[in-house]
Amino acid sequence: MVGRYILSGIEYTDVVTEKHYKKEIRALLSRTVSFVVTFGLLYLMYTLLSGGVSWIDFIGLTISVGIVSFVFDFISLKQSYEKNKELL
């Protein structure tokens, strides 16, 4: 279900020009960094409260979550941009 939503190209309906596309990529990077920092802090608090954290696990999971989040959003943005260009 998530894959269909990502590949449908309906999330970014207003991305038509290359300038707006690049602006959305910068916003996407900003949102991803904010998400990774928030996730990292919450995960760190959770693991410290539950008995400790392996730094390798913490860094690996945080980076993995950031990469997956960025890739999904980027694919959705790219599909939307292509579809919107095609409609015009």
Side-chain angles (χ1 to χ4, degrees), residues 1-45:
M1 176 120 165
V2 173
R4 180 185 289 177
Y5 177 72
I6 289 170
L7 295 176
S8 68
I10 60 173
E11 187 174 357
Y12 298 93
T13 57
D14 57 340
V15 178
V16 180
T17 64
E18 187 173 350
K19 181 179 178 183
H20 198 218
Y21 174 71
K22 288 183 180 184
K23 183 179 178 182
E24 282 295 324
I25 288 178
R26 287 191 298 272
L28 176 62
L29 283 170
S30 175
R31 283 193 309 266
T32 302
V33 168
S34 298
F35 173 71
V36 167
V37 168
T38 303
F39 176 82
L41 290 174
L42 291 174
Y43 180 65
L44 185 62
M45 287 190 307

Side-chain angles (χ1 to χ4, degrees), residues 17-88:
T17 64
E18 187 173 350
K19 181 179 178 183
H20 198 218
Y21 174 71
K22 288 183 180 184
K23 183 179 178 182
E24 282 295 324
I25 288 178
R26 287 191 298 272
L28 176 62
L29 283 170
S30 175
R31 283 193 309 266
T32 302
V33 168
S34 298
F35 173 71
V36 167
V37 168
T38 303
F39 176 82
L41 290 174
L42 291 174
Y43 180 65
L44 185 62
M45 287 190 307
Y46 170 75
T47 55
L48 289 176
L49 291 175
S50 66
V53 61
S54 165
W55 288 105
I56 299 295
D57 292 341
F58 170 73
I59 292 170
L61 181 62
T62 304
I63 290 173
S64 298
V65 165
I67 289 171
V68 168
S69 172
F70 178 78
V71 167
F72 281 171
D73 286 341
F74 180 76
I75 290 170
S76 181
L77 175 62
K78 182 78 170 169
Q79 291 290 356
S80 295
Y81 176 61
E82 294 296 325
K83 185 175 262 184
N84 293 339
K85 272 190 351 183
E86 183 179 297
L87 291 174
L88 289 180

